[in-house]
């Protein structure tokens, strides 16, 4: 179909997921390929803040378990 689009989603990405991605579309008239460099740069500020909060909560939980 004309104008049809596709989306590539990489969940839980890491820097090692950075790569040159090739996409090929083909039909009865031929084919075409496009290459896109995908670079994963790291966690956003929100992600880092959330991870820090989880670490604090887990540390407190571990301390409470040790006290029992």
């Amino acid at each position: 179909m004309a104008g049809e689009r596709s989306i590539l989603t990489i969940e839980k990405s890491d820097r090692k997921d950075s790569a040159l991605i090739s996409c090929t579309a083909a039909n009865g008239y031929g084919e075409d390929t496009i290459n896109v460099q995908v670079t994963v740069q790291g966690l956003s500020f929100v992600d880092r803040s959330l991870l820090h909060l989880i670490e604090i909560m887990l540390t407190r939980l571990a301390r409470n378990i040790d006290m029992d």
Side-chain angles (χ1 to χ4, degrees), residues 35-49:
N35 298 312
V36 178
Q37 179 65 47
V38 175
T39 303
V40 179
Q41 296 181 342
L43 296 175
S44 70
F45 173 76
V46 173
D47 292 336
R48 286 191 304 271
S49 297

Side-chain angles (χ1 to χ4, degrees), residues 3-51:
E4 194 170 323
R5 296 178 183 211
S6 297
I7 297 173
L8 171 65
T9 303
I10 303 173
E11 295 183 19
K12 298 181 182 178
S13 60
D14 195 303
R15 288 183 182 195
K16 67 182 178 209
D17 295 314
S18 297
L20 182 64
I21 306 289
S22 297
C23 179
T24 302
N27 61 23
Y29 297 101
E31 70 178 49
D32 196 8
T33 300
I34 188 169
N35 298 312
V36 178
Q37 179 65 47
V38 175
T39 303
V40 179
Q41 296 181 342
L43 296 175
S44 70
F45 173 76
V46 173
D47 292 336
R48 286 191 304 271
S49 297
L50 183 58
L51 284 175

Side-chain angles (χ1 to χ4, degrees), residues 53-65:
L53 181 58
I54 291 170
E55 288 173 357
I56 291 170
M57 292 171 63
L58 288 174
T59 301
R60 288 180 180 170
L61 180 62
R63 287 182 189 155
N64 288 340
I65 291 172

